[in-house]
Amino acid sequence: MNSTIEEIWANRELLAKPESIQLIKQIINQLDRGELRVATPPVNETDDWTVNEWVKKAILLYFISQQMKVDEVGIFTFNDKIPLKTNFAEAKVRAVPPAVARFGSYQAPGVILMPSYVNIGAYVDERTMVDTWATVGSCAQIGKDVHLSGGVGIGGVLEPPQAAPVIIEDGAFIGSRCIVVEGARIGKRAVLGAGVTITGSSKIIDVTGAEPIEYRGFVPANSVVIPGSYAKQFPAGEFHVPCAIIIGQRKLSTDLKTSLNEALRENNVSV
């Protein structure tokens, strides 16, 4: 399947063949059902996520091959190439109006979509809440028991195909108005306080030890993170630029809710 997609990607004339369109639609259907993912989680703790570049190429080919179509949903009218998901009850997903999930995205049983948006290629795992006005961008990978608070922006990425998507691992709590983009990864059970911005090149500084430890575009598991800044010299003088600061750790000895509450109290983090 992946080799055929690579052939079509290299030779767009193959899109004229019905079997090519059928294959592309088959892949989008598998994404929609969660049988296929843009990125595959590691089997062992020492491994890394694997980006399935050919799947992203199939999504881009789907965009190219689809025709614009007007859809009416109640009082709303849409004009787009990608239909919306409609099988929430069958999938055991709660979708609160006007939550929107594009076809080709996956929401596992127990997911709650408040008025929010989930784009094609995204994967949202079991019992995760996408809160009001939160957005899950194309191909983003959201783990189990994650809470994306109000107004959170999870970036999407389709091009270049080899680029890693944003990954939020199991049990993470992403506070209100946080932004996570450019293939950044948030480790398991990490807590981002309100307003934290994490990009692929963001400085994330652990200040819990005697010496600071710096990460780029990656928040380690169980970290409690707040917005911060550091001094940087420019031709016009010294100015403070944004960063994220790790100020503590969630406790592994307690359950997720208790651990979260303790982390917030102990480190005075707002979410």
Side-chain angles (χ1 to χ4, degrees):
M1 185 181 291
N2 56 343
S3 60
T4 305
I5 289 297
E6 293 289 357
E7 289 178 14
I8 300 170
W9 181 261
N11 181 8
R12 303 300 170 86
E13 292 182 1
L14 294 175
L15 286 172
K17 294 186 175 183
E19 55 266 32
S20 295
I21 302 301
Q22 183 179 356
L23 175 62
I24 293 166
K25 288 184 176 180
Q26 179 185 340
I27 292 169
I28 302 303
N29 285 331
Q30 288 180 305
L31 281 169
D32 192 76
R33 296 191 297 266
E35 298 168 357
L36 196 62
R37 297 179 66 160
V38 167
T40 307
V43 177
N44 303 308
E45 293 291 334
T46 55
D47 296 334
D48 203 353
W49 285 71
T50 301
V51 179
N52 299 314
E53 184 179 335
W54 66 275
V55 178
K56 292 175 71 178
K57 289 178 178 177
I59 296 172
L60 289 167
L61 291 169
Y62 185 61
F63 275 104
I64 295 169
S65 62
Q66 290 292 103
Q67 300 298 315
M68 295 291 288
K69 180 184 177 184
V70 174
D71 284 319
E72 294 187 0
V73 182
I75 63 172
F76 298 102
T77 300
F78 303 94
N79 184 32
D80 193 19
K81 291 186 173 185
I82 313 298
L84 302 179
K85 291 179 73 82
T86 58
N87 64 334
F88 291 123
E90 179 185 344
K92 299 180 181 178
V93 171
R94 180 185 174 194
V96 178
V100 171
R102 249 176 161 184
F103 189 79
S105 66
Y106 175 70
Q107 295 84 51
V111 164
I112 298 174
L113 301 179
M114 298 303 286
S116 55
Y117 182 80
V118 182
N119 208 345
I120 188 171
Y123 188 103
V124 184
D125 216 336
E126 297 172 1
R127 300 177 300 279
T128 283
M129 173 176 276
V130 183
D131 220 329
T132 303
W133 307 136
T135 57
V136 180
S138 54
C139 303
Q141 305 292 296
I142 313 297
K144 296 179 175 67
D145 301 302
V146 170
H147 190 123
L148 304 179
S149 300
V152 163
I154 303 298
V157 61
L158 277 172
E159 295 185 277
Q162 67 270 21
V166 171
I167 296 170
I168 312 292
E169 296 188 336
D170 296 352
F173 190 103
I174 312 300
S176 300
R177 305 295 177 182
C178 284
I179 298 172
V180 186
V181 295
E182 296 177 0
R185 179 159 65 94
I186 310 301
K188 293 180 180 179
R189 299 164 56 98
V191 178
L192 302 191
V196 171
T197 296
I198 306 290
T199 72
S201 58
S202 290
K203 276 192 176 185
I204 302 152
I205 306 171
D206 187 338
V207 298
T208 58
E211 296 290 335
I213 300 173
E214 185 177 311
Y215 301 90
R216 293 275 183 168
F218 168 66
V219 173
N222 300 302
S223 299
V224 178
V225 185
I226 63 171
S229 64
Y230 65 96
K232 186 174 181 180
Q233 192 67 38
F234 294 91
E238 185 178 87
F239 295 89
H240 285 262
V241 296
C243 69
I245 299 177
I246 299 173
I247 61 168
Q249 296 285 312
R250 282 176 79 168
K251 294 181 179 178
L252 295 173
S253 59
T254 53
D255 64 40
L256 291 175
K257 290 182 179 179
T258 303
S259 178
L260 172 59
N261 291 335
E262 287 184 356
L264 300 181
R265 284 197 302 268
E266 291 171 0
N267 298 287
N268 195 26
V269 177
S270 60
V271 295

